Amino acid sequence: MSLLLFVLGVVVLAEALNKLERTRPCAPGITSHQRLLAVLKALAWLLLALGGAGALVGPFFDQAPPTLRELAMFAGFTVLIVRTRFKEG
């Protein structure tokens, strides 16, 4: 189960860093509403990147095996990411 969480973490981390790089909350010329939405989006991707990174380093520390809840959450995000990638192209 730790290996599965590691693989799911790689996908989530890669996508989160990709999306975080493209989020521009400080872009000039956007409304305060658009800026708030961009900040919230950046915060969400940052939190997902932290979770993905945690899944990557977890097996290297003496840590309890992942729970079904953790696997389900990472698997859900991974499915959404893969679905979006297939839908885009």
Side-chain angles (χ1 to χ4, degrees):
M1 286 182 37
S2 293
L3 179 61
L4 177 60
L5 185 63
F6 182 86
V7 171
L8 296 173
V10 167
V11 173
V12 171
L13 179 61
E15 184 68 12
L17 291 176
N18 180 36
K19 295 288 189 174
L20 190 58
E21 180 185 21
R22 294 189 289 155
T23 304
R24 304 277 185 231
C26 297
I30 61 175
T31 67
S32 59
H33 179 63
Q34 291 170 325
R35 191 171 313 281
L36 174 64
L37 292 177
V39 166
L40 291 174
K41 184 187 286 189
L43 179 61
W45 285 116
L46 176 66
L47 291 171
L48 281 171
L50 288 172
L56 292 181
V57 300
F60 299 108
F61 294 97
D62 190 21
Q63 187 176 359
T67 64
L68 181 59
R69 176 181 54 195
E70 292 170 325
L71 284 174
M73 183 178 57
F74 271 95
F77 281 118
T78 302
V79 167
L80 288 173
I81 289 166
V82 170
R83 177 194 159 272
T84 302
R85 289 292 179 172
F86 277 116
K87 187 177 170 185
E88 289 175 352

